Amino acid sequence: LVQFEADNKKLKDANSDIARLKLERDTLNSQVYQLECKVTDGNTQLAELGKELHTVKTDRETLKATVAQLEHRQRQADLEMAKLRDAATELSRTRAERDGLHNSLTSMENKVGDLNTQIHLLTKDLHATKTDRDTMHVQLSQKEGLVQDLEE
């Protein structure tokens, strides 16, 4: 009878552990899902920033071509003062636009770097959570085996 009561207590303790582990597993599964959602959102943002970055790079190349054309016109305008003033004004404006676009590009590149860092950290968190979940599955299987052994 004493052995039966001891086995019965072990069985109750094991069942309590199983319930707790199942709750922890469900919590970890929820965390995994949330982290996967964050990774997906981060990937979406990264793709959008990649498109914006491509657009800015294209604009920058267009501006480089425009600047080259303006510099050519400026050399020709050395012979004519009126054309020189017009070309210099346009060149100044174009450089300001280029600098603004360059600053935007730098900012976007920084955002991409930040997103890559966030994705890296989220991926690490996801991996750790999945590892914790796998550990809980192993513990749960062990407890269930113990319960089966006790029931037998």
Side-chain angles (χ1 to χ4, degrees):
L1 180 61
V2 171
Q3 181 60 41
F4 174 75
E5 288 177 359
D7 288 346
N8 195 28
K9 178 168 180 8
K10 287 180 184 177
L11 182 60
K12 287 180 182 177
D13 289 346
N15 282 335
S16 176
D17 286 346
I18 288 171
R20 180 183 52 78
L21 287 170
K22 284 181 179 179
L23 180 61
E24 288 177 15
R25 179 196 62 200
D26 291 345
T27 300
L28 287 171
N29 282 338
S30 174
Q31 290 173 349
V32 166
Y33 175 75
Q34 291 170 357
L35 287 171
E36 287 172 342
C37 288
K38 288 180 182 179
V39 167
T40 299
D41 291 345
N43 284 339
T44 300
Q45 290 176 0
L46 183 60
E48 289 171 2
L49 283 175
K51 289 177 186 177
E52 289 180 36
L53 181 61
H54 176 72
T55 301
V56 168
K57 285 181 177 180
T58 301
D59 290 348
R60 185 174 68 180
E61 292 303 315
T62 301
L63 285 173
K64 283 181 181 179
T66 301
V67 168
Q69 291 171 357
L70 290 174
E71 288 171 347
H72 177 70
R73 279 200 268 169
Q74 184 177 4
R75 284 189 299 272
Q76 291 176 340
D78 285 339
L79 303 174
E80 302 175 32
M81 289 302 290
K83 288 183 180 181
L84 179 60
R85 283 191 296 272
D86 293 342
T89 301
E90 190 173 351
L91 180 60
S92 175
R93 181 187 56 78
T94 302
R95 283 184 176 156
E97 288 175 4
R98 182 192 63 200
D99 291 344
L101 286 172
H102 178 72
N103 290 339
S104 294
L105 174 63
T106 301
S107 174
M108 286 184 198
E109 288 171 342
N110 290 338
K111 287 179 186 176
V112 168
D114 291 344
L115 282 173
N116 281 334
T117 300
Q118 289 175 2
I119 287 170
H120 175 72
L121 293 175
L122 287 171
T123 302
K124 282 176 62 178
D125 287 348
L126 177 62
H127 177 71
T129 302
K130 284 182 178 179
T131 301
D132 290 346
R133 181 191 62 196
D134 293 343
T135 302
M136 292 296 172
H137 280 298
V138 169
Q139 291 176 354
L140 179 61
S141 295
Q142 290 172 347
K143 294 289 182 175
E144 288 172 342
L146 179 61
V147 167
Q148 284 181 346
D149 290 346
L150 290 174
E151 287 175 347
E152 293 174 359

